[in-house]
Amino acid sequence: MSDGKSTLITGIGELVTNDSEPGAFAAMSDAALVIAGGTVAWTGPSARAPAADAVVDAAGRAVLPGFADSHAHLVFAGERSGEFAARMAGRPYRAGGILVTVEATRAASDAVLRANLRRLVTEMLRQGTTTFECKSGYGLTVPDEARGLALAAEVTPEVTYLGAHVVPPEYTADPAGYVDLVCGPMLDACAPSARWVDVFCEDGAFGADEAAAVLAAGRAAGLSTRVHANQLGPGPGVRVAAEAGAASADHCTFLTDDDVDTLVSAPVVATLLPGAEFGTRQPFPDARRLLDAGATVALATDCNPGSSFTSSMPFCIALAVREMRMTTEEAVWSATAGGARALRRTDIGHLGVGARADLILLDAPSHAYLAYRPGVPQVAAVWQAGRLVAGTTVSNAA
């Protein structure tokens, strides 16, 4: 609710709070939770629940923190289903497919881009994502990158400048000139709409020195850093992320032992994007190796029209459990508290007292159903800052 009244959600079969030691999944059974003023005001056993202005009976269903999707590319036009079908028929994935979307995005009107963006945001919300990051990177000119970020800023505070996605065709003969543009006039136009700067550090995109220059320029403009790292093969991305003080290194599909040590010691959140491996038939990241080494892991969708056209965090949780050897508890923690850490947020990803009241009600008794029943819609209701924004509940006045 947003009118200042309190709401008690009682009869919760499993309440996932993540409100314990760092990195630890935490839950309680037969629980209740009170929302007041847009935040979590109380959690505990249903039998001890205080009075509230309204009551929602969860009827034995599970309540979780809202998902925090820390890696998504939502400002684009067009689609690439033909590319996907060809890839499934055996053509390998290359980063060059990004330029197909760049061409379509440049040609699209603001109205077309805004409508597609809001459609995807609505999809995310209905599937339990209450916080998401949104990157530019499909304009690659000063005006197109600036308008992409302005549109993203309409729907989320977690806006990322990704002018350094790939080198556009007009700069093929002068990649250094494009890096100068990204670090100069493009950054000047984009920084006012952004919180983050990102770079695709990969063969076929940007090398270590170029990536470091982009990140340094972004930091000088007041932006925090994150990196696309080690997606298509071994490379310097994780090292570049650590040296730049990045919040996260995203993808982390091909890691050396030194990379793993760096992620643990820096520390940099390893954000894993299993939707991309599903969509490109690459090997999945070895989450078990990272977790056993003590790294902090986040899960995100990488929603984009080429390599991972999914907006579903439940789908990514199921992939992480099945294909990346994560437990159900680890996967849910990584999709909630892990994503919050990748965004350097302490107000989301958990349901401790004082947390923002972003939460989801599953039509299931346990978080494990997110992987146990893959592909089945299970999010019955979603609250964002204490307001019911998706789904329905049975509510009664107290």
Side-chain angles (χ1 to χ4, degrees):
M1 292 186 175
S2 57
D3 56 5
K5 294 184 178 180
S6 59
T7 300
L8 166 66
I9 305 176
T10 189
I12 301 171
E14 179 190 51
L15 175 61
V16 176
T17 62
N18 292 336
D19 186 31
S20 61
E21 294 299 317
F25 174 93
M28 63 180 78
S29 58
D30 191 18
L33 174 146
V34 174
I35 299 168
T39 64
V40 177
W42 181 90
T43 63
S46 285
R48 299 182 189 172
D53 298 307
V55 178
V56 173
D57 185 0
R61 294 176 290 179
V63 170
L64 286 67
F67 300 127
D69 187 346
S70 61
H71 185 126
H73 307 249
L74 305 179
V75 182
F76 65 86
E79 57 90 46
R80 283 153 60 188
S81 59
E83 174 189 315
F84 173 81
R87 197 158 58 238
M88 294 303 102
R91 190 175 79 190
Y93 174 69
R94 295 289 184 265
I98 292 168
L99 295 176
V100 174
T101 300
V102 169
E103 183 178 3
T105 303
R106 288 177 175 181
S109 67
D110 287 3
V112 167
L113 294 177
R114 181 181 285 111
N116 189 54
L117 169 63
R118 290 183 180 274
R119 176 180 64 83
L120 292 169
V121 171
T122 298
E123 279 186 7
M124 286 180 155
L125 192 61
R126 288 173 177 167
Q127 296 175 93
T129 297
T130 51
T131 300
F132 63 92
E133 182 256 19
C134 184
K135 304 178 190 295
S136 66
Y138 291 126
L140 309 187
T141 67
V142 172
D144 284 309
E145 284 295 292
R147 73 166 177 156
L149 289 168
L151 289 168
E154 293 177 0
V155 295
T156 180
E158 303 298 344
V159 177
T160 298
Y161 167 49
L162 184 58
H165 202 182
V166 292
V167 176
E170 60 268 28
Y171 279 91
T172 300
D174 185 20
Y178 184 66
V179 172
D180 289 342
L181 179 70
V182 169
C183 294
M186 189 181 287
L187 175 62
D188 293 340
C190 291
S193 296
R195 181 187 176 201
W196 303 94
V197 61
D198 196 349
V199 59
F200 191 10
C201 184
E202 197 79 50
D203 286 344
F206 297 89
D209 291 344
E210 295 168 321
V214 169
L215 297 173
R219 285 199 311 274
L223 304 181
S224 298
T225 55
R226 48 204 323 108
V227 178
H228 282 60
N230 300 62
Q231 177 187 5
L232 304 179
V238 167
R239 173 178 58 80
V240 169
E243 291 174 351
S248 68
D250 298 15
H251 288 288
C252 294
T253 310
F254 296 93
L255 299 178
T256 65
D257 289 344
D258 285 345
D259 290 331
V260 174
D261 291 343
T262 296
L263 289 166
V264 173
S265 62
V268 178
V269 175
T271 300
L272 308 184
L273 310 169
E277 277 69 47
F278 178 88
T280 60
R281 280 192 174 156
Q282 288 200 131
F284 284 87
D286 190 347
R288 185 79 268 135
R289 177 188 182 197
L290 287 163
L291 290 164
D292 289 348
T296 299
V297 171
L299 288 177
T301 62
D302 192 19
C303 183
N304 75 83
S307 60
S308 182
F309 200 17
T310 180
S311 58
S312 174
M313 287 289 273
F315 174 65
C316 292
I317 287 169
L319 286 179
V321 171
R322 172 63 181 85
E323 301 291 346
M324 302 194 320
R325 299 193 296 154
M326 298 181 81
T327 67
T328 59
E329 292 90 349
E330 288 167 341
V332 166
W333 189 93
S334 296
T336 53
R341 291 195 178 202
L343 295 172
R344 290 182 172 161
R345 296 277 296 272
T346 59
D347 59 327
I348 61 171
H350 67 100
L351 295 177
V353 172
R356 179 174 148 123
D358 290 356
L359 56 144
I360 58 179
L361 174 67
L362 293 185
D363 195 12
S366 164
H367 75 278
Y369 273 63
L370 291 166
Y372 177 46
R373 300 200 72 208
V376 178
Q378 296 183 75
V379 176
V382 182
W383 287 262
Q384 194 172 44
R387 185 170 64 91
L388 183 66
V389 292
T392 58
T393 65
V394 177
S395 181
N396 300 294

